[in-house]
Amino acid sequence: MDKNHQMWADLGMDLKTHDLLCEALPGAYGDVFLTQENRPECMDYFEMVAADIHGIRAAELVEAQKQGRKVIGTFCVFVPDEAVVAADAIVTGLCGGSQFWVPEGEKYLPANTCPLIKASMGARFGKTCPYFRIADMLVGETTCDGKIKAYEILSEDIDVHVMDLPHQKRPQDFIAWENEIKLFMEKMEDFTGNKITLEKLNESIKLINAKRRALARLYDCRKNKVVPISGTDTLLIMQIAFFDDPARLTAQVNRLCDELEKRIADGVSVAKEGAPRILITGTPLAVPNWKLHNIIESSGGIVVCEENCTGTRYFSHEVKEDNATMDEAVKALSDRYLGNINCACFTPNPGRIDDILRLAKEYDVDGIIDCNLKFCNLYATENYFVERAIKEAGIPILTLETDYTDSDAEQLRTRVGAFLEMLGN
Amino acid sequence: MDKNHQMWADLGMDLKTHDLLCEALPGAYGDVFLTQENRPECMDYFEMVAADIHGIRAAELVEAQKQGRKVIGTFCVFVPDEAVVAADAIVTGLCGGSQFWVPEGEKYLPANTCPLIKASMGARFGKTCPYFRIADMLVGETTCDGKIKAYEILSEDIDVHVMDLPHQKRPQDFIAWENEIKLFMEKMEDFTGNKITLEKLNESIKLINAKRRALARLYDCRKNKVVPISGTDTLLIMQIAFFDDPARLTAQVNRLCDELEKRIADGVSVAKEGAPRILITGTPLAVPNWKLHNIIESSGGIVVCEENCTGTRYFSHEVKEDNATMDEAVKALSDRYLGNINCACFTPNPGRIDDILRLAKEYDVDGIIDCNLKFCNLYATENYFVERAIKEAGIPILTLETDYTDSDAEQLRTRVGAFLEMLGN
């Protein structure tokens, strides 16, 4: 048995079923990524992580656990990584992005649930994802109906802490969210046995802000007329950012950005002349969900920005640093997380429309695709406002709904192709 | 033009389309209600209301508005009627229960939205429900994804106040809910121009408690071995309770209960000997959604209790009366509404399981049907716990999912028939 298989066996995984996933991924990965031309050399790091996606990082986490550190699994950009890091624990994102896990999830959840939630549940209960096995504790949030109920089922199997996210952004909601962050920090202290000091919290804010700055720098490179990196490669980096070590990820993204900025100076673009520049908005694209990016970019378009949770919502806006008191630091976290993430779970959510229109300008896009996971009622309903505002701004928009199956790939390809062709004229 | 049509025209309704609904309802009503044998005489009042469901009460509300009173439309049992009544305004429930309104609602909402929300939106935007035209203001709540986003769309058309319902029941959530009730009361004061005094609030608590007691008395009659009223008739009464004048409704329900208690003493049952006694649990059954009750009771069963929002969740538990201060009164409201209504929007929601098992015993049921509206992810997911707990208690359970169309009626009839037959053995 090789090292990975030994680790997976030790984690109590279903090796036989997991092998099927391991066998399918390289082909899928190759089709999407290795067919791209002229990729940045500094994708080498991300290539390596992706090639052994259930191995390298998982082994690091297992090793950290042996040294007494806790691993905390999260599902949402509202959960502040800073609180986990300040307790000397490690965050790992757990959202599932493959159809592989969906049937197992449907044993526990209604079929009419969004594929991300079904896949996440399936990955845990099917014992086919090492990160779900490694996580000592899960952190949920009350963002949507599907998740709040799924967490109840998960909590029968593993310790789950749920953060009660307000659904409005009034002054009292910010205070409520500060209190939720404090409760979460207490939970982290209890669970890890480590005290969260002001110094540690300020340090962790700086650590995560540095990661945010690196990702923002990466996105800034895409604003240029010369597009030095594909949307597909950027998406992979974002997906890895959710579970990689934050300091190393920051360094690697900055190393890549050095190359990308040189590419811009040298006029090296991955996009063909005149390729329509696309902004994607909507629901998150969890690893390994690369379907939409692949369709767009293999149909002649170039994705230059993602206004979603695996895009700008993840890194935009920094947390205020060097806070003088614990209360000030917690308020800084509340302000950044509640104040600046414009998820469709808010009522109303005009900030998202503002974000989309601003990003469309900043990234000089030719068209917008509002793409939402099937059965995500929040985003599907918010499309009513999103589509109208985009049309009013005179920007072409295509609305899509999809899941993790391949059954609609050809239909999506046809619709996206027609949209890109229209933009090309 | 008759009086009703004149009123509907004055309300800006779409008369032609509304006439189609008016033409269809009597037949549907007759098929469901008038085919029943041995109905209580005191159903006469509810018969009259139902026969002119868009006429009599609507005319009263229009008249009240002429005298300066405001009419407040609500969609959920969490919105405290007491706050509206104490401001001398009138509450009218607005949930739509007919497929007639669904296609219009789908112009605004994703098809994958629960039919109750689609019907409610369709009734408003299609101008085919007088109550939606009469309502001066709507009150929403953050209970589920579908509703919070639908309220945003409605709020472009009419003033909507949204109450932020917590999704847990911790001490801080009760305080948050008290604050929401206070905000709602302030909104009612501003909107009506009437001050909510402690005296008025205490009075309104008594008024609504009296209605709760009457409905509880009605339900108590169904606990008996002799079942003096059908579930179908009880459902109609509950549906009328959401929009009728509370004092009159209370009087009429009590008048009916006098008859029902005499029936019990006299051994007059509407159910055949040995008819399986059914508890329905799940999502609300808004007027005129009588499908499930009709199928059960025309297939030989008798519905003796509904653990849902148009059943026990609406009237169970009274609000503490004779409060000495405004804060005490608001706390009493928060305790009753947040503390005692066990909706699947809470995470976790063990109180509902307790309620179901307790009611099953109190109403001596033979079987339970967990029936949920399609695309209600909260209740569909909670079925995981509900079905398991009921099975563990040794009670037969049937889980159904349905919408407002008739397309599944035969399939439901077959499944319900098989379930009842199994219970009969």
Side-chain angles (χ1 to χ4, degrees), chain A residues 69-91:
Chain A
R69 295 180 73 189
K70 297 290 186 189
V71 175
I72 310 297
T74 64
F75 299 89
C76 181
V77 298
F78 282 106
V79 175
D81 288 354
E82 291 88 344
V84 180
V85 174
D88 202 29
I90 304 171
V91 182

Side-chain angles (χ1 to χ4, degrees), chain B residues 242-351:
Chain B
F242 277 82
F243 66 89
D244 199 3
D245 174 76
R248 182 176 55 206
L249 188 279
T250 302
Q252 288 294 343
V253 171
N254 278 323
R255 174 175 160 258
L256 170 68
C257 287
D258 291 342
E259 181 185 359
L260 299 185
E261 285 164 6
K262 186 163 186 312
R263 279 188 159 208
I264 292 171
D266 296 346
V268 179
S269 180
V270 296
K272 293 214 172 70
E273 182 74 28
R277 298 168 66 94
I278 301 297
L279 165 70
I280 293 174
T281 182
T283 49
L285 299 163
V287 65
N289 180 10
W290 307 308
K291 186 162 80 170
L292 182 63
H293 280 69
N294 180 43
I295 289 174
I296 296 170
E297 299 198 328
S298 64
S299 302
I302 177 88
V303 180
V304 292
C305 184
E306 297 83 8
E307 189 284 314
N308 63 24
C309 296
T310 42
T312 54
R313 278 179 230 144
Y314 183 51
F315 64 78
S316 293
H317 305 276
E318 296 180 19
V319 178
K320 188 171 80 67
E321 300 185 351
D322 299 319
N323 300 284
T325 65
M326 212 59 173
D327 279 348
E328 197 179 312
V330 169
K331 185 179 178 304
L333 289 169
S334 177
D335 285 349
R336 188 268 165 190
Y337 281 87
L338 185 60
N340 292 314
I341 303 176
N342 297 313
C343 172
C345 71
F346 293 107
T347 179
N349 187 35

Side-chain angles (χ1 to χ4, degrees), chain B residues 65-321:
Chain B
Q65 283 177 319
K66 282 183 188 153
Q67 287 158 25
R69 294 181 74 188
K70 297 289 186 189
V71 176
I72 310 297
T74 65
F75 299 89
C76 181
V77 297
F78 282 106
V79 176
D81 289 354
E82 291 87 345
V84 180
V85 174
D88 201 29
I90 304 172
V91 182
T92 188
L94 287 179
C95 292
S98 169
Q99 178 63 21
F100 181 83
W101 292 307
V102 169
E104 181 70 22
E106 287 181 347
K107 293 183 186 167
Y108 299 83
L109 295 173
N112 292 348
T113 304
C114 100
L116 189 151
I117 302 174
K118 289 190 289 195
S120 302
M121 290 277 284
R124 167 78 197 175
F125 285 107
K127 302 179 168 56
T128 46
C129 169
Y131 299 101
F132 263 102
R133 304 305 302 167
I134 290 167
D136 295 297
M137 190 184 129
L138 308 183
V139 185
E141 15 50 50
T142 59
T143 37
C144 71
D145 292 352
K147 279 168 129 191
I148 68 170
K149 301 311 281 184
Y151 294 138
E152 289 178 40
I153 298 175
L154 280 171
S155 72
E156 296 197 320
D157 198 43
I158 179 172
D159 194 357
V160 182
H161 176 83
V162 174
M163 299 184 75
D164 202 316
L165 184 77
H167 288 262
Q168 300 187 49
K169 295 188 179 187
R170 304 160 302 176
Q172 64 265 43
D173 298 316
F174 281 86
I175 293 166
W177 189 236
E178 283 175 36
N179 288 331
E180 286 297 321
I181 293 171
K182 284 179 187 166
L183 278 176
F184 178 46
M185 283 171 33
E186 282 168 26
K187 178 84 190 182
M188 285 295 101
E189 288 183 327
D190 287 350
F191 195 72
T192 61
N194 299 326
K195 178 90 189 139
I196 298 182
T197 62
L198 177 62
E199 194 189 344
K200 279 195 174 179
L201 191 56
N202 271 330
E203 260 173 40
S204 74
I205 288 172
K206 282 191 181 163
L207 178 77
I208 307 299
N209 273 348
K211 175 169 151 181
R212 291 188 181 111
R213 265 195 300 279
L215 295 173
R217 185 179 167 204
L218 168 62
Y219 267 59
D220 276 345
C221 290
R222 305 165 78 196
K223 291 178 179 169
N224 212 281
K225 205 175 153 62
V226 169
V227 186
I229 185 168
S230 69
T232 308
D233 276 336
T234 311
L235 175 62
L236 180 67
I237 295 167
M238 294 302 297
Q239 291 170 338
I240 289 172
F242 277 82
F243 66 89
D244 199 3
D245 174 76
R248 182 176 55 206
L249 188 279
T250 302
Q252 288 294 343
V253 171
N254 278 323
R255 174 175 160 258
L256 170 68
C257 287
D258 291 342
E259 181 185 359
L260 299 185
E261 285 164 6
K262 186 163 186 312
R263 279 188 159 208
I264 292 171
D266 296 346
V268 179
S269 180
V270 296
K272 293 214 172 70
E273 182 74 28
R277 298 168 66 94
I278 301 297
L279 165 70
I280 293 174
T281 182
T283 49
L285 299 163
V287 65
N289 180 10
W290 307 308
K291 186 162 80 170
L292 182 63
H293 280 69
N294 180 43
I295 289 174
I296 296 170
E297 299 198 328
S298 64
S299 302
I302 177 88
V303 180
V304 292
C305 184
E306 297 83 8
E307 189 284 314
N308 63 24
C309 296
T310 42
T312 54
R313 278 179 230 144
Y314 183 51
F315 64 78
S316 293
H317 305 276
E318 296 180 19
V319 178
K320 188 171 80 67
E321 300 185 351

